């Protein structure tokens, strides 16, 4: 779970004598809602970040290294490689799982 110190905010530092506008409050509210959603997603066992590494995908899909490699080689699971590390987009993986296509392909592998 993410530590509250790890969450990055894009808000400028506010001084005691500085005025806060309604837009500042709305921006803060929106960021707070996003942070809470991210924490809740992490609590429910879902990753809170968009790009996942292989060990996270293997855990999430209950795959072995060889089965994950097979799915990559066949183009059945989308991925990106950056600096020798393979990343998977969690939203795309979730869409594949929801469609049932990934389950069908894993049964045939």
């Amino acid at each position: 779970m993410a530590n509250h110190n790890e969450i990055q905010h894009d808000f400028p530092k506010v001084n005691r004598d500085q005025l806060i506008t309604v837009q500042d409050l709305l921006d803060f509210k929106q960021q707070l809602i996003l942070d809470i959603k991210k924490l809740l997603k992490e609590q429910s066992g879902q990753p809170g970040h968009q790009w996942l590494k292989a060990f996270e995908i293997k855990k999430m899909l209950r795959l072995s290294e060889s089965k994950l490699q097979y799915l990559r080689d066949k183009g059945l699971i989308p991925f990106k490689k950056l600096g020798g590390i393979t990343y998977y987009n969690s939203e795309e993986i979730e869409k594949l799982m929801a469609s049932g296509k990934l389950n069908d392909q894993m049964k045939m592998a």
Side-chain angles (χ1 to χ4, degrees), residues 4-28:
H4 73 280
N5 294 331
E6 294 174 2
I7 297 174
Q8 301 269 336
H9 297 286
D10 297 328
F11 298 112
K13 184 174 175 159
V14 177
N15 297 320
R16 291 181 71 167
D17 60 341
Q18 184 177 359
L19 294 177
I20 297 177
T21 66
V22 173
Q23 187 60 47
D24 292 335
L25 292 173
L26 292 173
D27 292 344
F28 175 76

Side-chain angles (χ1 to χ4, degrees), residues 42-75:
E42 289 173 353
Q43 280 285 336
S44 67
Q46 298 176 353
H49 47 281
Q50 180 179 4
W51 293 99
L52 306 174
K53 292 184 179 178
F55 77 93
E56 294 168 304
I57 291 294
K58 289 190 300 188
K59 183 178 177 183
M60 188 167 98
L61 300 178
R62 297 184 186 135
L63 296 174
S64 66
E65 183 70 41
S66 59
K67 187 147 286 197
L68 182 59
Q69 182 68 50
Y70 172 83
L71 294 172
R72 273 197 320 258
D73 291 345
K74 294 291 182 183

